[in-house]
Amino acid sequence: MAALKWDHLVHYVNDLDQPVQLFADHGLLAFRGGSHTAWGTYNALSYFGLTYLEFLGIENLELAQATKDNVVVRDAVAVLPEHEVLSRVVLRTDDIEAVEADLKAAGLSLSPIIDGRRLDNKGRLIEWRMMTIDGDFQGLVYPFIIQWNQRDEARLDSLNTAGINQPHPAGQVEMVSAVFRVTDPGAAAKHWSGLFGLPVTASEDGSFSLKAGGQTFDFLEGEENQFSQVIFKADSSALQGKTILIGEGEYVFK
């Protein structure tokens, strides 16, 4: 399996301006990203280095409903406007064909590798390749896979130069883990570990963690079978101990 790192997460929302304003109220930068003109969706983004949040909304319902190959768009149509949920995490690779071959060998149902593009809020063309995974494991949907058209170091330089990744007014903030509440944490963590080549560790409290680059995916016992929380490490006493609620997603600062 080619190396995979946590690239970003997708959170379905109805109004992009609401999370942008809520983050601003807490000293966190978020901004309109742009439109996926082929899929009928649009987004707002908040960067923490190379890992970022994507708030995804439906801009053109007719076009989104007509999108068949992209499960991320299909799921947005299915859950919005009733449920503004954390959808899924996204794994980054430099060799999406190798990941595709491994996941096909594991028996997963994959989309074709899709060429994605959107215009950012300054009219710059952003391009990537992605592949979604249909289905779920015990109710928990799979990540999707992305490959950018730049290596990590060059892409981070580009994000910094463009002012897309910049210090938050609240101070140093790191995105450290994604939390999934599932009925069988051990089974879910080991299943993802086997599929994506992420090392797994068990804790005495019954939770399991996967190492995804410098961050973790934490599997805790619960009935939701859903991505439920994002955990940040912040050096600001004003943020530490706070939880920002956006729809059904929780952003927890420690």
Side-chain angles (χ1 to χ4, degrees):
M1 171 66 70
L4 291 165
K5 299 176 182 176
W6 187 10
D7 187 76
H8 70 279
L9 65 86
V10 178
H11 187 162
Y12 297 138
V13 298
N14 293 312
D15 179 358
L16 295 181
D17 292 332
Q18 184 179 26
V20 170
Q21 183 59 54
L22 198 51
F23 267 41
D25 293 343
H26 291 82
L28 299 166
L29 295 174
F31 53 89
R32 288 287 190 112
S35 298
H36 306 112
T37 55
W39 301 328
T41 56
Y42 59 170
N43 65 20
L45 308 169
S46 182
Y47 276 78
F48 302 86
L50 281 173
T51 310
Y52 67 97
L53 314 179
E54 179 181 21
F55 299 105
L56 188 74
I58 296 174
E59 185 175 33
N60 182 326
L61 180 59
E62 184 177 357
L63 187 55
Q65 288 173 328
T67 299
K68 302 302 180 189
D69 283 339
N70 188 332
V71 69
V72 181
V73 177
R74 293 206 314 264
D75 284 356
V77 172
V79 303
L80 291 175
E82 290 84 2
H83 298 288
E84 294 183 297
V85 294
L86 287 163
S87 165
R88 66 192 74 216
V89 292
V90 183
L91 297 172
R92 180 176 69 252
T93 180
D94 290 328
D95 191 347
I96 198 167
E97 282 85 3
V99 176
E100 178 188 44
D102 287 341
L103 295 180
K104 280 185 175 176
L108 294 187
S109 176
L110 309 176
S111 75
I113 295 175
I114 304 166
D115 291 325
R117 59 180 56 87
R118 66 172 173 82
L119 296 176
D120 70 9
N121 58 9
K122 295 184 179 178
R124 294 171 295 215
L125 180 63
I126 309 295
E127 296 180 285
W128 64 91
R129 305 174 74 204
M130 64 178 282
M131 172 178 63
T132 60
I133 305 170
D134 279 350
D136 59 70
F137 180 77
Q138 297 182 350
L140 179 66
V141 299
Y142 292 111
F144 75 80
I145 311 298
I146 195 165
Q147 180 175 351
W148 295 97
N149 60 355
Q150 290 179 302
R151 295 277 184 173
D152 284 2
E153 296 78 8
R155 184 161 171 269
L156 184 58
D157 285 343
S158 297
L159 292 171
N160 292 339
T161 300
I164 293 170
N165 179 58
Q166 55 180 299
H168 294 273
Q172 179 65 31
V173 185
E174 296 177 51
M175 210 159 86
V176 296
S177 65
V179 177
F180 305 86
R181 296 193 180 279
V182 294
T183 50
D184 189 338
K190 290 172 186 175
H191 180 66
W192 278 30
S193 176
L195 289 176
F196 304 117
L198 305 176
V200 60
T201 58
S203 298
E204 291 182 356
D205 63 4
S207 65
F208 288 76
S209 293
L210 298 182
K211 191 78 170 172
Q215 298 136 318
T216 61
F217 297 152
D218 300 327
F219 294 79
L220 279 59
E221 187 170 358
E223 297 301 317
E224 299 93 329
N225 292 311
Q226 174 74 40
F227 180 17
S228 61
Q229 283 185 333
V230 186
I231 309 296
F232 298 84
K233 180 181 178 183
D235 66 1
S236 164
S237 58
L239 274 179
Q240 292 170 355
K242 286 202 170 180
T243 297
I244 299 175
L245 296 177
I246 298 175
E248 298 171 30
E250 299 179 359
Y251 295 85
V252 179
F253 296 84
K254 297 183 176 179

